[in-house]
Amino acid sequence: AQGKIIDALAECVELISQLYAEYSLQLPGMQLFWNQLAKAEKQHAAVLRTMHRLLDKGNIFFNIGRFSHEAITETDAMIRKEYEHAQDRVVTKKYALDVAMKIESSLLDGHFYEIVTSDAPEFQIITKRLASDTSRHLCMLQDAVSGCGPEDR
C-alpha cells in the first residue's frame, strides 16, 4: 500500500512537470521561469521514486497512510484537467500562475514532508529538500503574481 501511494505521488508530480512545461510553451515571456519549475518537479518525481527504492530495501514509512490513494488520484485528475486545458486553449499568465499557486499550495498544505517519517536516515535529507523546494516554488509564484498587471489577465 505504501508503494502504491509513493508511486501515485511520483506520477502526480511528473504530471505537474508536464503542465509547467506546457505553460513554458504557451507563455514565451516566462519560458525560463516555467522550465525551471518543470525541471524541479521532474527531479521531485525522481526523488519520490527513490523513496520507493528505500521501501523495497525494507525501510518503513510512518504516517503515509494519512494520504489516501483516492485523494492523490483526485489531485492527479485536477492537474490532468488543467494540462488538457492548457493544450486545448490559450492560457493567460495570470491563469497559469493561479493554477500553479493552487497546486504548490496544496502540496505544501498537505504537509506530506512533515507528516511522513521513516527509519531510513536519507529520508530526512530527501524530505527537507522537497519541503524547501516546494516552499521556494510558492515564493517564486507569489513574486510572479505580484508582478502581474491588467495586461496579463
Side-chain angles (χ1 to χ4, degrees), residues 1-7 9 47-67 112-113 115-127 130:
Q2 290 187 344
K4 192 174 179 181
I5 290 171
I6 292 169
D7 289 345
L9 282 168
V47 169
L48 286 164
R49 289 187 180 92
T50 299
M51 286 174 58
H52 195 150
R53 287 193 288 281
L54 292 173
L55 186 64
D56 290 344
K57 284 180 11 185
N59 292 104
I60 299 169
F61 292 95
F62 304 99
N63 298 326
I64 202 165
R66 290 178 61 179
F67 296 88
F112 175 81
Y113 309 117
I115 293 171
V116 176
T117 59
S118 175
D119 62 349
E122 54 270 69
F123 181 77
Q124 297 307 322
I125 297 165
I126 291 170
T127 55
L130 291 176

Side-chain angles (χ1 to χ4, degrees), residues 20-134:
Y20 292 170
E22 181 64 29
Y23 286 162
S24 80
L25 297 173
Q26 291 243 4
L27 302 161
M30 294 184 75
Q31 191 168 24
L32 180 61
F33 174 84
W34 289 112
N35 279 335
Q36 285 177 328
L37 286 175
K39 182 180 177 186
E41 294 300 338
K42 196 173 276 275
Q43 290 170 338
H44 290 180
V47 169
L48 286 164
R49 289 187 180 92
T50 299
M51 286 174 58
H52 195 150
R53 287 193 288 281
L54 292 173
L55 186 64
D56 290 344
K57 284 180 11 185
N59 292 104
I60 299 169
F61 292 95
F62 304 99
N63 298 326
I64 202 165
R66 290 178 61 179
F67 296 88
S68 71
H69 190 267
E70 293 76 26
I72 297 166
T73 302
E74 285 176 21
T75 302
D76 185 90
M78 182 271 295
I79 296 164
R80 192 169 306 280
K81 180 180 157 224
E82 292 299 343
Y83 178 66
E84 290 166 3
H85 173 86
Q87 287 184 311
D88 293 341
R89 299 183 190 107
V90 175
V91 247
T92 65
K93 176 181 176 180
K94 183 181 182 329
Y95 184 84
L97 289 169
D98 286 348
V99 169
M101 286 281 291
K102 188 166 99 176
I103 290 169
E104 296 293 331
S105 294
S106 71
L107 290 173
L108 201 59
D109 288 343
H111 301 292
F112 175 81
Y113 309 117
E114 296 168 14
I115 293 171
V116 176
T117 59
S118 175
D119 62 349
E122 54 270 69
F123 181 77
Q124 297 307 322
I125 297 165
I126 291 170
T127 55
K128 272 186 187 171
R129 177 180 164 208
L130 291 176
S132 170
D133 285 355
T134 300

